[in-house]
Short mmCIF file of all heavy atoms in Angstrom, two decimals:
data_model
loop_
_atom_site.label_atom_id
_atom_site.label_comp_id
_atom_site.label_asym_id
_atom_site.label_seq_id
_atom_site.Cartn_x
_atom_site.Cartn_y
_atom_site.Cartn_z
N GLY A 9 -23.78 -24.32 5.17
CA GLY A 9 -22.94 -24.66 6.31
C GLY A 9 -23.75 -25.35 7.39
O GLY A 9 -24.46 -26.31 7.15
N ASP A 10 -23.69 -24.80 8.61
CA ASP A 10 -24.41 -25.38 9.75
C ASP A 10 -25.79 -24.74 9.96
O ASP A 10 -26.48 -25.08 10.91
CB ASP A 10 -23.59 -25.19 11.03
CG ASP A 10 -22.24 -25.89 10.97
OD1 ASP A 10 -22.15 -26.92 10.28
OD2 ASP A 10 -21.28 -25.38 11.59
N ARG A 11 -26.19 -23.83 9.07
CA ARG A 11 -27.39 -23.02 9.30
C ARG A 11 -28.55 -23.43 8.39
O ARG A 11 -28.37 -23.68 7.21
CB ARG A 11 -27.07 -21.54 9.05
CG ARG A 11 -28.19 -20.58 9.38
CD ARG A 11 -27.78 -19.15 9.12
NE ARG A 11 -27.63 -18.87 7.69
CZ ARG A 11 -27.14 -17.73 7.20
NH1 ARG A 11 -26.70 -16.79 8.03
NH2 ARG A 11 -27.06 -17.54 5.90
N LEU A 12 -29.74 -23.49 8.98
CA LEU A 12 -30.98 -23.71 8.24
C LEU A 12 -31.90 -22.54 8.53
O LEU A 12 -32.04 -22.12 9.69
CB LEU A 12 -31.64 -25.02 8.68
CG LEU A 12 -32.91 -25.43 7.94
CD1 LEU A 12 -32.59 -25.93 6.54
CD2 LEU A 12 -33.65 -26.53 8.73
N GLN A 13 -32.55 -21.99 7.50
CA GLN A 13 -33.43 -20.84 7.68
C GLN A 13 -34.76 -21.06 6.97
O GLN A 13 -34.79 -21.55 5.84
CB GLN A 13 -32.78 -19.57 7.11
CG GLN A 13 -31.51 -19.14 7.83
CD GLN A 13 -30.90 -17.90 7.22
OE1 GLN A 13 -30.74 -17.81 6.00
NE2 GLN A 13 -30.57 -16.92 8.05
N VAL A 14 -35.84 -20.68 7.62
CA VAL A 14 -37.15 -20.67 6.98
C VAL A 14 -37.49 -19.22 6.68
O VAL A 14 -37.67 -18.41 7.60
CB VAL A 14 -38.22 -21.30 7.89
CG1 VAL A 14 -39.59 -21.23 7.22
CG2 VAL A 14 -37.87 -22.75 8.22
N TRP A 15 -37.55 -18.88 5.39
CA TRP A 15 -37.85 -17.51 4.98
C TRP A 15 -39.36 -17.29 5.05
O TRP A 15 -40.15 -18.18 4.79
CB TRP A 15 -37.37 -17.25 3.55
CG TRP A 15 -35.89 -17.13 3.40
CD1 TRP A 15 -34.99 -18.15 3.25
CD2 TRP A 15 -35.13 -15.93 3.40
NE1 TRP A 15 -33.72 -17.66 3.14
CE2 TRP A 15 -33.77 -16.30 3.22
CE3 TRP A 15 -35.46 -14.58 3.51
CZ2 TRP A 15 -32.75 -15.36 3.16
CZ3 TRP A 15 -34.44 -13.65 3.44
CH2 TRP A 15 -33.10 -14.03 3.28
N THR A 16 -39.77 -16.06 5.38
CA THR A 16 -41.18 -15.71 5.40
C THR A 16 -41.53 -14.86 4.19
O THR A 16 -40.65 -14.34 3.49
CB THR A 16 -41.54 -14.93 6.67
OG1 THR A 16 -40.85 -13.66 6.64
CG2 THR A 16 -41.15 -15.70 7.91
N HIS A 17 -42.81 -14.71 3.97
CA HIS A 17 -43.27 -13.74 2.97
C HIS A 17 -42.83 -12.34 3.39
O HIS A 17 -42.75 -12.05 4.59
CB HIS A 17 -44.80 -13.74 2.88
CG HIS A 17 -45.38 -14.96 2.28
ND1 HIS A 17 -45.47 -15.14 0.93
CD2 HIS A 17 -45.91 -16.07 2.84
CE1 HIS A 17 -46.05 -16.30 0.68
NE2 HIS A 17 -46.31 -16.89 1.83
N PRO A 18 -42.59 -11.45 2.43
CA PRO A 18 -42.41 -10.04 2.82
C PRO A 18 -43.68 -9.55 3.53
O PRO A 18 -44.79 -9.78 3.05
CB PRO A 18 -42.24 -9.33 1.47
CG PRO A 18 -41.76 -10.39 0.54
CD PRO A 18 -42.43 -11.66 0.98
N GLN A 19 -43.51 -8.94 4.66
CA GLN A 19 -44.64 -8.50 5.47
C GLN A 19 -44.54 -7.00 5.74
O GLN A 19 -43.44 -6.45 5.85
CB GLN A 19 -44.66 -9.25 6.81
CG GLN A 19 -44.79 -10.75 6.70
CD GLN A 19 -46.19 -11.18 6.30
OE1 GLN A 19 -47.11 -10.36 6.26
NE2 GLN A 19 -46.36 -12.45 5.98
N PRO A 20 -45.68 -6.31 5.85
CA PRO A 20 -45.63 -4.90 6.23
C PRO A 20 -44.95 -4.73 7.59
O PRO A 20 -45.28 -5.43 8.54
CB PRO A 20 -47.11 -4.49 6.30
CG PRO A 20 -47.83 -5.49 5.46
CD PRO A 20 -47.06 -6.77 5.62
N GLU A 21 -44.02 -3.83 7.64
CA GLU A 21 -43.30 -3.60 8.89
C GLU A 21 -44.04 -2.60 9.79
O GLU A 21 -43.92 -2.65 11.01
CB GLU A 21 -41.89 -3.07 8.58
CG GLU A 21 -41.01 -2.82 9.78
CD GLU A 21 -40.63 -4.11 10.52
OE1 GLU A 21 -40.70 -5.19 9.89
OE2 GLU A 21 -40.27 -4.03 11.70
N ALA A 22 -44.77 -1.70 9.17
CA ALA A 22 -45.52 -0.71 9.95
C ALA A 22 -46.79 -0.35 9.19
O ALA A 22 -46.81 -0.35 7.96
CB ALA A 22 -44.68 0.54 10.18
N THR A 23 -47.86 -0.04 9.93
CA THR A 23 -49.13 0.34 9.32
C THR A 23 -49.66 1.59 10.01
O THR A 23 -49.73 1.63 11.25
CB THR A 23 -50.16 -0.80 9.43
OG1 THR A 23 -49.64 -1.97 8.79
CG2 THR A 23 -51.47 -0.40 8.75
N GLU A 24 -49.99 2.59 9.23
CA GLU A 24 -50.53 3.85 9.77
C GLU A 24 -51.81 4.20 9.01
O GLU A 24 -51.94 3.87 7.82
CB GLU A 24 -49.52 4.99 9.62
CG GLU A 24 -48.25 4.81 10.44
CD GLU A 24 -48.48 5.12 11.91
OE1 GLU A 24 -49.41 5.86 12.22
OE2 GLU A 24 -47.70 4.60 12.75
N TYR A 25 -52.73 4.89 9.66
CA TYR A 25 -53.97 5.32 9.03
C TYR A 25 -54.16 6.82 9.23
O TYR A 25 -53.81 7.38 10.27
CB TYR A 25 -55.18 4.59 9.63
CG TYR A 25 -55.13 3.08 9.43
CD1 TYR A 25 -54.57 2.26 10.39
CD2 TYR A 25 -55.66 2.50 8.28
CE1 TYR A 25 -54.52 0.88 10.22
CE2 TYR A 25 -55.62 1.13 8.09
CZ TYR A 25 -55.05 0.32 9.06
OH TYR A 25 -55.00 -1.04 8.88
N ARG A 26 -54.69 7.47 8.21
CA ARG A 26 -55.07 8.88 8.30
C ARG A 26 -56.46 9.04 7.69
O ARG A 26 -56.69 8.62 6.55
CB ARG A 26 -54.07 9.77 7.54
CG ARG A 26 -52.70 9.86 8.19
CD ARG A 26 -52.73 10.61 9.51
NE ARG A 26 -51.41 10.72 10.10
CZ ARG A 26 -50.85 9.83 10.90
NH1 ARG A 26 -51.51 8.73 11.22
NH2 ARG A 26 -49.65 10.02 11.40
N ASP A 27 -57.39 9.60 8.44
CA ASP A 27 -58.72 9.85 7.92
C ASP A 27 -58.64 10.71 6.67
O ASP A 27 -57.95 11.73 6.65
CB ASP A 27 -59.60 10.55 8.96
CG ASP A 27 -59.93 9.66 10.15
OD1 ASP A 27 -59.80 8.42 10.00
OD2 ASP A 27 -60.29 10.20 11.21
N GLY A 28 -59.31 10.28 5.63
CA GLY A 28 -59.28 11.03 4.38
C GLY A 28 -58.17 10.62 3.45
O GLY A 28 -58.08 11.12 2.32
N GLY A 29 -57.31 9.73 3.88
CA GLY A 29 -56.26 9.23 3.00
C GLY A 29 -54.95 9.97 3.13
O GLY A 29 -54.78 10.85 3.99
N TRP A 30 -54.02 9.62 2.24
CA TRP A 30 -52.65 10.13 2.31
C TRP A 30 -52.38 11.04 1.12
O TRP A 30 -51.99 10.59 0.05
CB TRP A 30 -51.65 8.97 2.33
CG TRP A 30 -51.68 8.20 3.61
CD1 TRP A 30 -52.48 7.14 3.92
CD2 TRP A 30 -50.89 8.45 4.75
NE1 TRP A 30 -52.25 6.71 5.19
CE2 TRP A 30 -51.25 7.49 5.74
CE3 TRP A 30 -49.90 9.38 5.07
CZ2 TRP A 30 -50.66 7.45 7.01
CZ3 TRP A 30 -49.31 9.34 6.33
CH2 TRP A 30 -49.70 8.38 7.28
N ASP A 31 -52.58 12.34 1.32
CA ASP A 31 -52.24 13.26 0.24
C ASP A 31 -50.77 13.65 0.33
O ASP A 31 -50.04 13.22 1.23
CB ASP A 31 -53.16 14.49 0.26
CG ASP A 31 -53.06 15.29 1.56
OD1 ASP A 31 -52.05 15.14 2.28
OD2 ASP A 31 -54.01 16.05 1.87
N PHE A 32 -50.33 14.46 -0.59
CA PHE A 32 -48.91 14.83 -0.68
C PHE A 32 -48.41 15.46 0.62
O PHE A 32 -47.32 15.10 1.12
CB PHE A 32 -48.71 15.81 -1.85
CG PHE A 32 -47.27 16.15 -2.12
CD1 PHE A 32 -46.52 15.45 -3.05
CD2 PHE A 32 -46.65 17.18 -1.42
CE1 PHE A 32 -45.19 15.77 -3.30
CE2 PHE A 32 -45.32 17.51 -1.65
CZ PHE A 32 -44.59 16.80 -2.59
N ASP A 33 -49.15 16.40 1.19
CA ASP A 33 -48.70 17.11 2.39
C ASP A 33 -48.59 16.17 3.59
O ASP A 33 -47.64 16.28 4.39
CB ASP A 33 -49.64 18.27 2.70
CG ASP A 33 -49.55 19.39 1.69
OD1 ASP A 33 -48.49 19.48 1.02
OD2 ASP A 33 -50.53 20.14 1.53
N ARG A 34 -49.54 15.23 3.72
CA ARG A 34 -49.48 14.30 4.84
C ARG A 34 -48.28 13.36 4.69
O ARG A 34 -47.61 13.01 5.66
CB ARG A 34 -50.77 13.49 4.92
CG ARG A 34 -51.94 14.28 5.51
CD ARG A 34 -53.22 13.50 5.44
NE ARG A 34 -54.28 14.19 6.17
CZ ARG A 34 -55.58 13.86 6.09
NH1 ARG A 34 -55.94 12.85 5.31
NH2 ARG A 34 -56.47 14.53 6.77
N LEU A 35 -48.03 12.95 3.46
CA LEU A 35 -46.86 12.10 3.21
C LEU A 35 -45.57 12.85 3.55
O LEU A 35 -44.66 12.30 4.18
CB LEU A 35 -46.82 11.65 1.74
CG LEU A 35 -47.89 10.63 1.35
CD1 LEU A 35 -47.95 10.49 -0.16
CD2 LEU A 35 -47.60 9.28 1.99
N ALA A 36 -45.50 14.10 3.14
CA ALA A 36 -44.29 14.89 3.40
C ALA A 36 -44.06 15.06 4.90
O ALA A 36 -42.91 15.12 5.38
CB ALA A 36 -44.40 16.26 2.73
N THR A 37 -45.14 15.11 5.67
CA THR A 37 -45.02 15.29 7.11
C THR A 37 -44.66 14.00 7.84
O THR A 37 -43.83 13.99 8.76
CB THR A 37 -46.34 15.84 7.68
OG1 THR A 37 -46.64 17.08 7.06
CG2 THR A 37 -46.26 16.02 9.19
N ASP A 38 -45.27 12.89 7.42
CA ASP A 38 -45.20 11.67 8.22
C ASP A 38 -44.32 10.56 7.65
O ASP A 38 -43.76 9.76 8.41
CB ASP A 38 -46.61 11.10 8.42
CG ASP A 38 -47.49 12.01 9.27
OD1 ASP A 38 -46.94 12.94 9.88
OD2 ASP A 38 -48.71 11.78 9.30
N LEU A 39 -44.24 10.47 6.32
CA LEU A 39 -43.59 9.30 5.73
C LEU A 39 -42.09 9.20 6.03
O LEU A 39 -41.60 8.11 6.38
CB LEU A 39 -43.83 9.25 4.22
CG LEU A 39 -43.26 8.02 3.51
CD1 LEU A 39 -43.83 6.73 4.10
CD2 LEU A 39 -43.53 8.09 2.01
N PRO A 40 -41.30 10.28 5.92
CA PRO A 40 -39.86 10.12 6.18
C PRO A 40 -39.54 9.55 7.55
O PRO A 40 -38.68 8.67 7.70
CB PRO A 40 -39.32 11.55 6.02
CG PRO A 40 -40.27 12.20 5.06
CD PRO A 40 -41.61 11.64 5.42
N ALA A 41 -40.24 10.01 8.58
CA ALA A 41 -39.97 9.51 9.94
C ALA A 41 -40.40 8.06 10.07
O ALA A 41 -39.73 7.25 10.74
CB ALA A 41 -40.71 10.37 10.96
N LEU A 42 -41.51 7.70 9.43
CA LEU A 42 -41.99 6.32 9.51
C LEU A 42 -41.02 5.37 8.83
O LEU A 42 -40.69 4.30 9.37
CB LEU A 42 -43.38 6.23 8.86
CG LEU A 42 -44.10 4.89 9.00
CD1 LEU A 42 -44.40 4.60 10.48
CD2 LEU A 42 -45.40 4.91 8.19
N VAL A 43 -40.53 5.76 7.66
CA VAL A 43 -39.56 4.91 6.95
C VAL A 43 -38.26 4.83 7.73
O VAL A 43 -37.65 3.76 7.84
CB VAL A 43 -39.31 5.45 5.52
CG1 VAL A 43 -38.12 4.74 4.88
CG2 VAL A 43 -40.56 5.26 4.66
N ASP A 44 -37.82 5.96 8.29
CA ASP A 44 -36.58 5.96 9.06
C ASP A 44 -36.66 5.01 10.25
O ASP A 44 -35.69 4.35 10.61
CB ASP A 44 -36.27 7.38 9.54
CG ASP A 44 -34.94 7.45 10.26
OD1 ASP A 44 -33.91 7.17 9.63
OD2 ASP A 44 -34.94 7.76 11.46
N GLN A 45 -37.84 4.92 10.85
CA GLN A 45 -38.03 4.06 12.02
C GLN A 45 -38.07 2.59 11.65
O GLN A 45 -37.70 1.72 12.45
CB GLN A 45 -39.33 4.45 12.72
CG GLN A 45 -39.58 3.72 14.04
CD GLN A 45 -40.87 4.16 14.70
OE1 GLN A 45 -41.55 5.08 14.23
NE2 GLN A 45 -41.21 3.52 15.81
N HIS A 46 -38.49 2.29 10.42
CA HIS A 46 -38.68 0.89 10.01
C HIS A 46 -37.94 0.59 8.70
O HIS A 46 -38.40 -0.20 7.89
CB HIS A 46 -40.18 0.61 9.83
CG HIS A 46 -40.99 0.84 11.05
ND1 HIS A 46 -41.02 -0.05 12.11
CD2 HIS A 46 -41.80 1.88 11.40
CE1 HIS A 46 -41.82 0.42 13.04
NE2 HIS A 46 -42.30 1.59 12.66
N ARG A 47 -36.80 1.20 8.52
CA ARG A 47 -36.06 1.07 7.25
C ARG A 47 -35.70 -0.38 6.97
O ARG A 47 -35.21 -1.09 7.85
CB ARG A 47 -34.79 1.91 7.30
CG ARG A 47 -34.03 1.94 5.97
CD ARG A 47 -32.72 2.71 6.10
NE ARG A 47 -32.96 4.11 6.41
CZ ARG A 47 -32.66 4.67 7.57
NH1 ARG A 47 -32.15 3.93 8.55
NH2 ARG A 47 -32.88 5.95 7.79
N GLN A 48 -35.93 -0.86 5.73
CA GLN A 48 -35.58 -2.22 5.36
C GLN A 48 -34.12 -2.29 4.92
O GLN A 48 -33.58 -1.33 4.37
CB GLN A 48 -36.48 -2.73 4.23
CG GLN A 48 -36.38 -1.93 2.94
CD GLN A 48 -37.34 -2.46 1.88
OE1 GLN A 48 -37.54 -3.65 1.76
NE2 GLN A 48 -37.91 -1.55 1.10
N SER A 49 -33.50 -3.41 5.19
CA SER A 49 -32.12 -3.59 4.77
C SER A 49 -32.07 -3.91 3.27
O SER A 49 -33.02 -4.45 2.70
CB SER A 49 -31.47 -4.74 5.55
OG SER A 49 -32.15 -5.96 5.29
N VAL A 50 -30.97 -3.56 2.65
CA VAL A 50 -30.77 -3.82 1.22
C VAL A 50 -29.44 -4.53 1.06
O VAL A 50 -28.40 -4.05 1.54
CB VAL A 50 -30.78 -2.52 0.41
CG1 VAL A 50 -30.52 -2.81 -1.06
CG2 VAL A 50 -32.11 -1.79 0.57
N GLY A 51 -29.45 -5.67 0.41
CA GLY A 51 -28.22 -6.43 0.20
C GLY A 51 -27.84 -7.24 1.43
O GLY A 51 -28.42 -7.11 2.50
N GLU A 52 -26.84 -8.08 1.24
CA GLU A 52 -26.33 -8.95 2.31
C GLU A 52 -25.18 -8.25 3.01
O GLU A 52 -24.22 -7.81 2.35
CB GLU A 52 -25.86 -10.28 1.73
CG GLU A 52 -25.65 -11.36 2.76
CD GLU A 52 -26.94 -12.04 3.19
OE1 GLU A 52 -27.94 -11.91 2.47
OE2 GLU A 52 -26.93 -12.70 4.24
#
């Protein structure tokens, strides 16, 4: 139609660091809230 769009590469929406890495317990504590804050859209 009347629209032109320049698509970008998929880019990280958020980056977090934890000393010692991300074990199961750290993921369980932090990942759900991080994803909820930066949730990607699916579909049009």
Side-chain angles (χ1 to χ4, degrees):
D10 299 330
R11 186 179 70 187
L12 183 74
Q13 295 179 311
V14 178
W15 288 85
T16 65
H17 290 277
Q19 299 287 351
E21 182 67 21
T23 302
E24 295 283 336
Y25 298 92
R26 291 292 181 273
D27 292 341
W30 290 88
D31 60 20
F32 186 93
D33 291 337
R34 284 174 172 168
L35 289 168
T37 301
D38 294 348
L39 184 58
L42 187 64
V43 170
D44 184 62
Q45 186 179 356
H46 301 283
R47 185 184 296 111
Q48 62 182 323
S49 62
V50 178
E52 195 80 17

